[in-house]
Amino acid sequence: MSVDVGGIVVHLEHLTAEKQAVLVEQVRRIVRAAPLFRPEMPSGRKMSVRMTSAGTFGWTSDRAGYRYERQHPNGMDWPPMPPIALDIWRDVAGVARDPQSCLINFYDGDAKMGLHQDRDEADMEMPVVSISLGDEALFRVGGAKRGGKTQSIWLKSGDVAVMGGAARLNYHGIDRIRANSSTLLPNGGRINLTLRCVD
Ligand code: MD3
Ligand code: FE
């Protein structure tokens, strides 16, 4: 079943519990090789979300600004894309290209992400695909201009969201995490994977 939230298509419970568990194992392998870090925003404040990436490009930020890089801050190339995430993209993205980046966001019970637009990618015709794992998150989406009406939905483990077309430039963020709402991750928290074409 899927729902439309402000132009974003959310495929509810798209992934079986078994597939979620295998994907978590693929993410763990990536995080072991390319450790999570807390990017610094251009303001100098550190994000509460911890991140790493897989694929050709990874997203990063520091005082110099937001951008994609071919290497982790520690100088290594990013690990390969998790195979299950690539399968999901091919299932739901509706475009011929494969993604070049898998951003891995880790939220502990206190982490959040302020309303923002994703505009560091070259081709806005390419969608963003988001995969939620672990604790539920209150996701908020507005329009393409800051300050308009917003809608919210709790994203649950196994949900897959597709941001394409007019929704691609919509403001969005994560207001809060519902701690202990999933047993997928033994130590709790939430993992969000976002798949993107970059150049
Ligand atoms: C709507 N991540 O990494 S995913 C991000 O749950 C990001 O970690 C959130 O926003 C998270 O940039 C939300 C859902 C999402 C991703 C990209 C979008 C929604 C979007 C791009 C355009 C519009
Ligand atoms: Fe975003």
Side-chain angles (χ1 to χ4, degrees):
M1 209 232 318
S2 63
V3 293
D4 185 301
V5 186
I8 291 173
V9 179
V10 184
H11 300 276
L12 302 170
E13 297 177 47
H14 189 70
L15 305 177
T16 62
E18 170 69 15
K19 227 179 212 183
Q20 293 174 45
V22 177
L23 183 50
V24 168
E25 274 317 304
Q26 294 180 358
V27 170
R28 284 194 194 291
R29 174 194 296 265
I30 290 164
V31 170
R32 279 199 296 270
L36 293 166
F37 57 97
R38 276 174 45 169
E40 198 176 2
M41 294 184 285
S43 66
R45 286 194 34 112
K46 289 227 176 199
M47 298 182 68
S48 57
V49 180
R50 295 192 293 153
M51 299 183 175
T52 190
S53 291
T56 307
F57 294 98
W59 189 84
T60 187
S61 171
D62 57 25
R63 281 165 181 277
Y66 304 128
R67 62 193 179 278
Y68 285 92
E69 293 279 7
R70 289 177 181 270
Q71 278 92 31
H72 186 279
N74 75 8
M76 70 179 286
D77 286 357
W78 304 103
M81 188 80 70
I84 290 186
L86 186 56
D87 291 343
I88 295 165
W89 170 280
R90 290 175 177 166
D91 243 25
V92 303
V95 295
R97 285 180 77 181
D98 275 343
Q100 296 172 298
S101 177
C102 175
L103 174 62
I104 298 167
N105 291 335
F106 179 79
Y107 296 77
D108 65 21
D110 301 318
K112 51 192 170 18
M113 188 179 285
L115 278 182
H116 66 278
Q117 288 175 301
D118 286 18
R119 44 187 326 149
D120 301 322
E121 302 80 22
D123 185 353
M124 292 296 154
E125 302 292 308
M126 292 296 116
V128 177
V129 171
S130 152
I131 305 164
S132 293
L133 297 168
D135 285 337
E136 297 168 12
L138 186 57
F139 172 70
R140 182 203 294 260
V141 57
K145 288 209 167 89
R146 198 181 269 289
K149 279 207 301 269
T150 64
Q151 291 181 66
S152 294
I153 181 177
W154 282 97
L155 292 177
K156 297 189 169 70
S157 196
D159 290 349
V160 173
V162 183
M163 286 63 66
R168 180 65 177 76
L169 280 167
N170 285 354
Y171 276 86
H172 60 277
I174 296 292
D175 289 338
R176 62 194 165 90
I177 301 299
R178 192 181 260 157
N180 305 312
S181 52
S182 162
T183 55
L184 182 67
L185 306 175
N187 297 321
R190 171 175 185 258
I191 296 168
N192 181 261
L193 308 181
T194 44
L195 303 169
R196 299 182 174 80
C197 297
V198 171
D199 65 5

